[in-house]
Amino acid sequence: MQTLNISSLEQTDKFRDLQLTLRDRWKTTEIFDNSDADILVIPSLSIDQRELKKIEGCEHYEERLLFSLIRLQNPRTRLIYITSMPMHPSVIDYYLQLLPGIPFSHARNRLLLLSTYDSSLKPLTQKILERPRLLKRIHQALRLDKSFMVCYNSTELEAELSLKLGVPLYAAAPDLQIWGTKSGSRQIFAESEVPLPDGSERVWNDIDLAEAAAQLWERQPTLKRMVVKLNEGISGEGNALLDLRPIKNLAPPDGSHTERVEAMKERFQTMRFQAKQENWENFSGRITELGAIVEAFVEGEIKRSPSVQGRITPSGEVEILSTHDQILGGPDGQIYLGCRFPADETYRLQLQQMGLKVGRNLAKKGAVERFGVDFIAVDKGDGQWDIQAIEINLRKGGTTHPFMTMKLMTNGRYELSTGLFYSQQGRPKYYMATDNLHKERYQGLLPNDLMDIIAHHRLHFDTGTETGTVFHLMGCLSQFGKLGLTSIGDSPQQAEEIYNKVVKVLDEETSSNNKDFSSESEYNFPITWDGCSC
């Protein structure tokens, strides 16, 4: 089929004109009780697929936007959710059964699930565009005057789909995505007068990278380490740590600039890469394709990685949605694993103010919808923290679905003056969440097995107390032993206790994966000949 060139001026104007219609309908994303809307969910990870493959189980990450199904608690909302491959029916049933006060059948009748039946390594949106009959079916199912489209991230593919369907895309336009890259983020921080680590502009080869690293060292002779980042890396998987201590004899003012550049070239080959199986040969090739930056590594004995999330409305208003303390892992604590809400009270209001500065800058450039800012915070003592911004996410990130799950399940509100979230009953709510509860012993658990465990141990979310756990990424479980969850409580301690209980139960339930099944099973599993558990 013919591909639109969204980068052309004419198509860009058409896309922006279509986006302008969001001003009349965007509030349907927040009003759940009586708004009348059709929501088209395209959970395509339209990013560099080689970088995406660094994340184990990435083929199931289209499930990350399944929190959108909770919007069906509004009896007038209809939702279309499209995936590359069909999802397990138990996963869909799980989300629909979370809806308080809505009959399961009523919600199911307002949900249309479609699939491309294509597991190939390319973005879902591209797969949809390659299927004219599927496009026609989507178009026929939508009430165009009441529809909008949401996605994981926005590229020319999503803009093309928006134009073909005549449905406005509630996301930053593709030509603005530069501000969500590593180099673009640094420019926004500088313009917004938000503190950031010293570093370089984007370079396109290892020679220029060595030159930039040497210049950075000369500006900061006491540096012990640097971070080299692919410009479009995700979740920290595109990062590498460059250790300067083995060549400290060349630290300025000792040694010459030329010697430092040559030493950097050699040190690149011994960098510690955050992604598994990454090496310099592959990484250096990626630099020529994506570009890279080098940045000072922020040292600190007590160090945290907080973040702030915001939204820019179609009318240009900037709102703060949440703050988090992120849970990081990997060789050097740079890979996103999960988060705690909210961020520490000693700096959460400061994060909000920095987030507003960044959001207002992005709004002036024409961005809409979600943005997130990641920081490094180092404890200076006496309750003071040195906070520096390191990255902007112009997409739905790892903190999006936990917060939206809590918001949609409680229909509560975020209070800017305290940085806390309150349920409709006025109770502060807290959570601990992860995308990466990952253990080999969990491999082989089917979605139905997880449902049995949830029911038997009462691990579900209780709509009465508004506490408990909501699970996601269940499609990753059987093959990769990987699961996501959001544990919500009335205090940080309770949220963590609920989270730890889930982990303990799963560990216990999988401790006997090799048991002899000739003995009576712990559960009774009624089996029917059509393969369904009843």
Side-chain angles (χ1 to χ4, degrees):
M1 64 186 292
Q2 185 178 4
T3 300
L4 295 172
N5 181 10
I6 190 64
S7 62
S8 72
L9 182 59
E10 180 184 2
Q11 296 300 330
T12 299
D13 288 343
K14 288 181 179 180
F15 174 78
R16 294 207 182 273
D17 287 343
L18 186 57
Q19 268 201 325
L20 287 176
T21 64
L22 285 168
R23 293 180 178 179
D24 300 323
R25 64 184 87 173
W26 75 271
K27 288 188 177 179
T28 54
T29 66
E30 294 300 312
I31 303 173
F32 311 128
D33 53 353
N34 58 9
S35 58
D36 189 5
D38 288 359
I39 305 174
L40 174 62
V41 183
I42 308 293
S44 176
L45 279 76
S46 300
I47 54 183
D48 185 272
Q49 297 297 291
R50 286 173 62 187
E51 289 304 300
L52 179 61
K53 286 298 289 183
K54 292 178 179 178
I55 300 176
E56 196 164 14
C58 64
E59 48 266 67
H60 296 283
Y61 271 52
E62 292 173 5
E63 296 180 20
R64 287 176 99 188
L65 299 192
L66 278 174
F67 69 81
S68 302
L69 270 60
I70 306 174
R71 296 187 185 280
L72 293 169
Q73 65 183 293
N74 174 358
R76 299 178 68 189
T77 290
R78 303 194 314 174
L79 195 141
I80 299 177
Y81 200 105
I82 307 177
T83 52
S84 293
M85 296 295 291
M87 286 180 288
H88 195 287
S90 293
V91 174
I92 302 302
D93 290 351
Y94 171 78
Y95 280 92
L96 296 182
Q97 289 165 354
L98 290 172
L99 307 182
I102 297 293
F104 178 94
S105 59
H106 193 278
R108 188 63 184 83
N109 288 337
R110 291 180 283 112
L111 172 64
L112 176 60
L113 298 170
L114 298 173
S115 173
T116 65
Y117 291 87
D118 181 349
S119 61
S120 62
L121 185 63
K122 53 187 172 182
L124 167 64
T125 309
Q126 181 180 343
K127 299 172 187 176
I128 297 170
L129 289 167
E130 291 171 349
R131 291 164 170 79
R133 290 178 181 270
L134 177 59
L135 277 171
K136 184 176 181 180
R137 185 175 181 188
I138 297 168
H139 186 271
Q140 291 175 338
L142 291 167
R143 298 171 294 174
L144 295 184
D145 61 329
K146 297 181 179 181
S147 299
F148 61 89
M149 174 176 143
V150 296
C151 59
Y152 170 77
N153 69 310
S154 168
T155 69
E156 289 193 2
L157 292 171
E158 284 68 39
E160 181 178 344
L161 182 59
S162 169
L163 284 172
K164 280 188 174 292
L165 293 173
V167 175
L169 174 63
Y170 189 29
D175 61 326
L176 300 175
Q177 293 302 313
I178 182 65
W179 307 120
T181 65
K182 305 298 186 290
S183 59
S185 297
R186 292 184 57 81
Q187 184 176 333
I188 293 288
F189 298 147
E191 293 175 358
S192 307
E193 298 183 346
V194 170
L196 72 161
D198 194 0
S200 74
E201 296 181 350
R202 176 166 47 168
V203 298
W204 294 96
N205 57 66
D206 58 340
I207 297 174
D208 290 342
L209 185 65
E211 179 70 29
Q215 291 176 1
L216 173 57
W217 201 8
E218 287 157 7
R219 291 195 300 271
Q220 294 198 32
T222 60
L223 276 181
K224 298 177 181 178
R225 291 178 283 184
M226 298 180 186
V227 186
V228 177
K229 301 179 179 180
L230 294 177
N231 200 44
E232 298 179 34
I234 55 174
S235 297
E237 300 276 359
N239 292 3
L241 198 64
L242 174 63
D243 195 343
L244 300 174
R245 287 169 292 189
I247 54 173
K248 62 182 179 180
N249 60 301
L250 296 178
D254 299 326
S256 68
H257 176 77
T258 301
E259 288 176 320
R260 280 188 283 275
V261 171
E262 291 303 315
M264 292 298 179
K265 293 178 183 177
E266 294 181 9
R267 294 300 300 162
F268 288 157
Q269 301 184 45
T270 63
M271 288 193 299
R272 188 151 61 183
F273 300 97
Q274 303 305 295
K276 296 177 181 178
Q277 283 97 40
E278 183 62 281
N279 56 60
W280 172 243
E281 181 180 2
N282 180 73
F283 193 89
S284 60
R286 301 261 61 201
I287 294 173
T288 63
E289 298 168 357
L290 303 176
I293 66 165
V294 61
E295 195 171 77
F297 182 82
V298 180
E299 305 282 355
E301 185 175 343
I302 300 177
K303 187 165 60 173
R304 295 179 184 169
S305 299
S307 65
V308 61
Q309 291 70 42
R311 176 181 57 206
I312 304 166
T313 72
S315 58
E317 298 174 355
V318 180
E319 303 173 350
I320 296 299
L321 300 178
S322 61
T323 64
H324 294 85
D325 277 317
Q326 299 181 110
I327 303 169
L328 303 182
D332 299 288
Q334 296 190 43
I335 294 179
Y336 178 83
L337 299 180
C339 61
R340 292 181 174 86
F341 171 87
D344 192 289
E345 62 181 351
T346 57
Y347 50 68
R348 73 170 74 116
L349 299 186
Q350 187 178 352
L351 296 179
Q352 291 181 162
Q353 292 305 311
M354 293 185 188
L356 285 171
K357 286 183 178 182
V358 171
R360 288 165 183 158
N361 190 326
L362 292 169
K364 288 179 182 178
K365 297 182 187 300
V368 296
E369 236 282 46
R370 272 173 172 72
F371 68 92
V373 185
D374 295 339
F375 300 86
I376 293 292
V378 177
D379 187 2
K380 297 166 58 179
D382 299 324
Q384 300 297 312
W385 292 79
D386 177 30
I387 300 177
Q388 299 187 60
I390 57 172
E391 183 176 351
I392 296 172
N393 292 312
L394 269 185
R395 54 177 170 78
K396 291 178 172 62
T399 56
T400 301
H401 50 280
F403 180 79
M404 288 304 298
T405 296
M406 178 178 68
K407 183 175 178 62
L408 291 166
M409 291 302 300
T410 65
N411 202 6
R413 59 182 175 83
Y414 183 78
E415 178 58 55
L416 195 64
S417 63
T418 62
L420 295 175
F421 184 89
Y422 298 89
S423 69
Q424 284 194 320
Q425 289 71 37
R427 292 195 301 263
K429 308 299 291 187
Y430 305 82
Y431 60 77
M432 183 171 175
T434 184
D435 267 349
N436 204 18
L437 180 54
H438 192 183
K439 298 187 180 183
E440 185 177 347
R441 65 197 302 169
Y442 298 167
Q443 290 178 355
L445 280 178
L446 302 177
N448 281 345
D449 298 327
L450 179 63
M451 301 305 162
D452 288 324
I453 293 171
I454 291 171
H456 181 75
H457 293 278
R458 301 186 181 276
L459 301 178
H460 58 278
F461 182 82
D462 187 330
T463 56
T465 63
E466 297 182 325
T467 62
T469 297
V470 178
F471 295 83
H472 64 278
L473 285 183
M474 290 176 268
C476 281
L477 193 54
S478 180
Q479 181 178 353
F480 299 99
K482 186 174 181 178
L483 183 66
L485 55 103
T486 301
S487 295
I488 303 171
D490 290 329
S491 68
Q493 296 77 19
Q494 186 184 31
E496 187 166 353
E497 288 170 1
I498 293 170
Y499 178 96
N500 289 336
K501 178 183 177 182
V502 171
V503 176
K504 181 181 179 182
V505 166
L506 289 174
D507 286 350
E508 290 174 347
E509 287 288 342
T510 54
S511 64
S512 54
N513 277 345
N514 298 317
K515 64 184 280 188
D516 180 3
F517 289 103
S518 61
S519 58
E520 185 177 352
S521 177
E522 180 178 356
Y523 311 127
N524 292 318
F525 300 108
I527 301 297
T528 60
W529 284 108
D530 64 2
C532 298
S533 296
C534 303

